Amino acid sequence: MGRAPCCDKTQVKRGPWSPEEDSTLKNYIHTFGTGGNWIALPHKAGLKRCGKSCRLRWLNYLRPDIKHGGFTEEEDNIILTLYNTIGSRQVSITVAMWSVIVSHLPGRTDNDVKNYWNSKLKKKLLALNTSQAMNFGSTAPVSPFAPELVDNYHHYYGNNPDIVSNMNYYQQNLVLPQELLVSNPAQASSLPSLVEVPDQAAGPCEDQASSVLAFGDEYRVWSGNGGVEDDGFLTGLIGSGFSCTNHLLNGIDFQGKITSGVYPNLANPLIFALAP
DNA sequence: AAGGTCGACAACCGCAACGAA
DNA sequence: ATTCGTTGCGGTTGTCGACCT
């Protein structure tokens, strides 16, 4: 028995939305909200559309906080960096990659970023890697890291020997960190393990220790007021070099064990900490 | 001017995860 | 514990306008 369809496709309108439909949907949601039920919404709002279609139209186009228009160079860098760090879904595990990337691009939607990636950025990355291969000669392997990304890592992590070692390992084995973990757990276990940073007297944070928060690890980030800012399970490996001699870093107060990952080239680096 | 090609973007599809009953 | 409806997501297709031949 097949799956029941979410709506009767013969009874709903498909294709591009008219301004009238947009207006109807917008007005309804402004007045009543989504009601937590997209399937029932079009009927209540008087729209001859599938609930999924309404949801998509709202999330990708009609929401008031959507940023329309071209991507900036900074946004390009964020996407490229995160894509290289998180990897693609083609590595056979379930990773909500676009939603993770979009969470660092306020006002952008996953559909926007996905389209932009497929139409432009993928080619940009390919061109970078191709030129890199030509520089090394035709027999040289192509690193999964574009040269500018490698530069970013070195810029942010300096000459920390563990970080340099990790980067070299990834490049020599032609794997992204995530792919490394997924394809070969034995190799992953040879990477530096998590370190516990003891509670110490206040002092400046410094890029002093290397640690790796592994794929699937639980993490938690505390905000300055002690509340939990974010938690979940890591969906990509982060090679990092941050630890902290006190609990305050970039205005975020950490407690208990601390380890972290920092995506380079972001205005607000992502800091990960182990839940105590 | 007409037809073909390409790129950008909107929209749809199907699957997996989630949660309530 | 199981079922089933709903949501969220990535992959893919469709459409339209710009550009090229």
Side-chain angles (χ1 to χ4, degrees), chain A residues 15-23 25-26 29 38 47 49-63 66 68 109 111:
Chain A
W17 281 63
S18 68
E20 291 75 26
E21 288 176 309
D22 281 349
S23 166
L25 181 60
K26 226 156 61 171
I29 292 178
W38 284 105
L47 285 163
R49 288 278 180 175
C50 173
K52 285 179 82 166
S53 178
C54 292
R55 175 182 164 271
L56 217 58
R57 186 63 179 171
W58 173 255
L59 292 178
N60 287 340
Y61 198 81
L62 297 175
R63 265 190 305 157
I66 294 284
H68 297 286
T109 70
N111 210 35

Side-chain angles (χ1 to χ4, degrees), chain A residues 145-169:
Chain A
F145 293 90
E148 64 184 26
L149 296 174
V150 174
D151 287 346
N152 280 343
Y153 272 90
H154 287 303
H155 171 74
Y156 278 87
Y157 296 140
N159 292 319
N160 180 315
D162 291 323
I163 296 304
V164 171
S165 166
N166 279 356
M167 281 297 297
N168 288 341
Y169 185 88

Side-chain angles (χ1 to χ4, degrees), chain A residues 28-217:
Chain A
Y28 182 86
I29 292 178
H30 280 148
T31 309
F32 303 105
T34 65
N37 188 338
W38 284 105
I39 301 298
L41 188 146
H43 179 68
K44 291 180 184 170
L47 285 163
K48 289 187 173 4
R49 288 278 180 175
C50 173
K52 285 179 82 166
S53 178
C54 292
R55 175 182 164 271
L56 217 58
R57 186 63 179 171
W58 173 255
L59 292 178
N60 287 340
Y61 198 81
L62 297 175
R63 265 190 305 157
D65 55 336
I66 294 284
K67 191 196 285 183
H68 297 286
F71 282 72
T72 65
E73 191 70 25
E74 188 189 357
E75 287 174 316
D76 278 10
N77 287 335
I78 290 172
I79 297 168
L80 283 168
T81 303
L82 287 176
Y83 188 90
N84 271 287
T85 307
I86 299 169
S88 81
R89 201 174 180 174
Q90 291 168 359
V91 295
S92 79
I93 55 170
T94 301
V95 179
M97 181 182 65
W98 296 119
S99 60
V100 170
I101 292 175
V102 162
S103 69
H104 301 291
L105 298 166
R108 299 295 186 186
T109 70
D110 58 349
N111 210 35
D112 261 353
V113 175
K114 191 171 56 181
N115 282 332
Y116 184 57
W117 172 264
N118 285 329
S119 61
K120 283 206 181 142
L121 280 184
K122 198 158 67 177
K123 288 164 195 164
K124 186 174 174 180
L125 187 62
L126 188 66
L128 282 167
N129 276 335
T130 302
S131 66
Q132 184 190 27
M134 288 172 73
N135 288 340
F136 280 116
S138 60
T139 57
V142 179
S143 166
F145 293 90
E148 64 184 26
L149 296 174
V150 174
D151 287 346
N152 280 343
Y153 272 90
H154 287 303
H155 171 74
Y156 278 87
Y157 296 140
N159 292 319
N160 180 315
D162 291 323
I163 296 304
V164 171
S165 166
N166 279 356
M167 281 297 297
N168 288 341
Y169 185 88
Y170 297 147
Q171 289 187 276
Q172 283 161 16
N173 289 279
L174 299 180
V175 291
L176 293 173
Q178 183 185 37
E179 289 168 328
L180 171 70
L181 279 180
V182 172
S183 64
N184 196 336
Q187 284 181 314
S189 67
S190 69
L191 293 171
S193 58
L194 292 171
V195 293
E196 182 176 352
V197 179
D199 185 3
Q200 294 181 10
C205 295
E206 48 186 293
D207 191 355
Q208 61 173 6
S210 169
S211 58
V212 172
L213 192 56
F215 172 80
D217 278 346

Side-chain angles (χ1 to χ4, degrees), chain A residues 193-201 203-211 222 240-249 254-260 272-274 276:
Chain A
S193 58
L194 292 171
V195 293
E196 182 176 352
V197 179
D199 185 3
Q200 294 181 10
C205 295
E206 48 186 293
D207 191 355
Q208 61 173 6
S210 169
S211 58
W222 290 270
S240 74
F242 255 97
S243 63
C244 191
T245 54
N246 65 0
H247 288 156
L248 198 62
L249 179 61
F254 290 91
Q255 304 169 14
K257 297 175 184 178
I258 296 176
T259 184
S260 63
F272 292 88
L274 273 186

